[in-house]
Amino acid sequence: MKTRRLFLRTALACASLVGALGMASAQAADPLRIGFSMSKTGPFAVAAQEQLAVYAMWKDEVNARGGMDVEGTKRKVEFVEYDNQSKPDVSVRIYEKLITDDKVDLLLAPWGTPFQIALTPVLEKYKFPVVGNTAASVALRQVKAGYIWFPTSAIPDQMAVELVKMMGEQKVKSAAIVSNILPFSKELKNALEPELKKAGIEIKYSTEYPPSIKDMTPIVAQVKNANPDAVLVLSYPSDSVLYSKQAHEVGISSPFQFVAVGPSTAAFRDAVGASANGVITMGHWSPKRTEWNGAKAFQENYVARYKHEPDYLNAALTYMSLQIMEQAVQKAGLNKEALRKTISSDTFDTINGKVKFQGVENVTTPVAFLQIQSGQLELVWPASIATSKFMRKTAQ
Amino acid sequence: MSVLEVLFSGQLLFAALLTASVYAIVAVGLNMTYGTMRLLNVAHGDLVMIGAYAAYWLFTGLGIAPLWSAIVVTLACALLGVLLYSGLLKNLMARAGGTARLEANSLLLFFGLSMIIQNVMVSVETATPRAYQYLSEIHRFGGLSMTGNRLAALAVAILACLAIAAFLRWNIFGLALRAVIERSDAARIVGVNVEQVHKVSLAIGFGAAGLAGVLISMMEQFSPFIGFSMTIAAFIVIILGGLGNIAAGFGAALILGLLETYGVALTSPTLRSVLLYGVFVLTLILLPQGLFRRRLGP
């Protein structure tokens, strides 16, 4: 009997010891689980690439330095990621699952404006803060402030004002507008038209085209015929390439050529070649601003890992959002309310300089423009952060 | 630009012919597989994509000029067609039991293949669009200017179409192929080796798709997802021309190319899809056999 009791007691002691040890080790190695949905398949898979690439790179960077700092404790990062098939409603359901079922510690944003806007009600409902990134639209301002923030400064209405200012400085008197019918392009077009009118710039030719366009020869022929000082191409990545190649073919010689989405990627420069030089595009980041926190290192690490330059717009915005989240968690920990307050009120030090939010908007980063010069992207507007001077585009 | 300027613009004619000739070689392959075997190859566009990547790898990796690699890629894709036939399609056709069943089965099979091909390509190459610079100098002839790669692509595509047309017209095997398209059973009775014809038509079809891919890669940016829109364009061409009617397919491709360029130039780019699909739907309603009805009906 005695032996049996002793055995039981020993067994119990052993079991509790093992349990305690197990718990202790689990606590020390407990990784930080970060969830997100991404357009890995479907029509936006191409566009979402860089964001996913930056997430993956950041995770490895953080884990290489021992993990993410949560109020002084380093915790390794683990991703819980799902494909949303490029459907915002699927993405929303994934985030609900991530919060309620997977019970992740933090969330990262999905790709793109419609996905990030669609996510907002879920964040409100579960009081879960997320730093947005690759979203830009005047509609962002309608998003209720509180649980999401957008670091972009490329919001169409502000961009239109600055672009027309820049055109004024270059003595542009006439322009042609070639616009995709997708929402971002339309917003930019709607904002540009009154600004051009105000500045007395004549619109010599204006047309819209669908995203399915395969041949732009009829459009570039019309633009060449109109011979404006400026061509404003309000395009998406694939039609940006199409326009640039075909404009080069027919020899459009307008000295000011703005191409909205795409030229900030390495893929654009690879596809268009030397005739990409002189193209102006949206973007507010440059690795040449070495005073920005980690700007140069971000570019170098990205190039070492992916063998091409990061997208100066989306890749940079994605990394900014991660830096903001990291700095907020370091200070406020994982408590959602504390995190929300910190992100809403603090100033963050990012690869694009200081960022501070007012409502959902980043109010410190200026609207800026990049220009491709000798195959390199240079900030040419505004002067306060410019890395090079504007150059007139030549036909060749 | 006035209507006359549009109609007499060499630039637009060049663009229209180029679009048409690329559509033609993509569609001819799809048409052959359907015509001879009643297989609905919805993965056809993905072959075009593979051809584009193959040319890209050969050019950026080994420095082989796309006009040379066009030969290699065409042959490799043709071989792929033969292997696919021996390994998979022959069985599928033997077991299908009935044309309708075969069409449905092949549709599902190729849809699955298409998904697999796309996703394998994404994991190999990522979804980042690729492109390279080749013959990007501009040639000017009066008011007409043409990028070297587009000019070369047009020449190769037209040559390929002519070669296929000549093969079908004068070569004994080409005649057998047409016989199988028109009356498969009768062709078998008069001694045509139908299996051999199937192999050859797949080889030509796949080869043409690979070639189209090489040409597209010279001119445009491409990603693992370009296949689907290619397949759709090819389907429109062959339905316009009449399923299984090879020569009419060339005519339909030309109509589509002209429509895409001149239609857009004379109306508005936003009407592009309305024009293309409008003509397509009208054809289906008014001429269900295609614009160019075959004289030999079933």
Side-chain angles (χ1 to χ4, degrees), chain B residues 193-256:
Chain B
N193 183 345
V194 176
E195 275 71 39
Q196 201 70 20
V197 166
H198 287 170
K199 260 190 215 169
V200 170
S201 72
L202 264 182
I204 296 176
F206 276 42
L211 176 66
V214 176
L215 300 182
I216 287 171
S217 76
M218 284 164 40
M219 306 183 280
E220 294 172 15
Q221 204 182 26
F222 50 91
S223 79
F225 307 110
I226 59 164
F228 185 67
S229 67
M230 283 292 152
T231 307
I232 295 291
F235 265 111
I236 295 181
V237 167
I238 65 174
I239 290 170
L240 272 183
L243 278 170
N245 190 347
I246 309 280
F250 292 142
L254 185 63
I255 290 178
L256 209 63

Side-chain angles (χ1 to χ4, degrees), chain A residues 207-228:
Chain A
T207 191
E208 292 184 353
Y209 62 84
S212 60
I213 194 142
K214 289 277 178 297
D215 179 26
M216 280 200 181
T217 310
I219 297 177
V220 292
Q222 298 274 16
V223 172
K224 187 177 162 66
N225 209 38
N227 194 25

Side-chain angles (χ1 to χ4, degrees), chain A residues 46 49 181 207-210 212 214-215 217-219 222 225 241 245-246 248-250 267 270-273 396, chain B residues 1 11-12 14-15 126-129 131 133 138 140 145-147 150 219 221 223 225 260-261 265 269-270 272-273:
Chain A
V46 173
Q49 272 299 298
I181 54 169
T207 191
E208 292 184 353
Y209 62 84
S212 60
K214 289 277 178 297
D215 179 26
T217 310
I219 297 177
Q222 298 274 16
N225 209 38
V241 171
K245 287 194 150 199
Q246 300 196 336
H248 175 58
E249 182 170 70
V250 302
D270 288 347
V272 177
Q396 288 308 311
Chain B
M1 283 169 98
Q11 201 70 47
L12 293 186
F14 170 61
T126 76
T128 308
Q133 296 298 314
I138 309 272
R140 287 183 213 284
S145 48
M146 294 176 281
T147 313
R150 301 213 321 150
M219 306 183 280
Q221 204 182 26
S223 79
F225 307 110
E260 181 145 1
T261 305
T270 42
R272 174 186 180 266
S273 301

Side-chain angles (χ1 to χ4, degrees), chain A residues 185-225:
Chain A
S185 305
K186 292 278 266 194
E187 274 185 25
L188 194 50
K189 187 181 176 199
N190 292 342
L192 271 167
E193 279 167 345
E195 288 299 323
L196 290 171
K197 205 170 182 183
K198 242 191 280 171
I201 296 171
E202 180 200 357
I203 300 174
K204 281 188 164 175
Y205 172 70
S206 179
T207 191
E208 292 184 353
Y209 62 84
S212 60
I213 194 142
K214 289 277 178 297
D215 179 26
M216 280 200 181
T217 310
I219 297 177
V220 292
Q222 298 274 16
V223 172
K224 187 177 162 66
N225 209 38

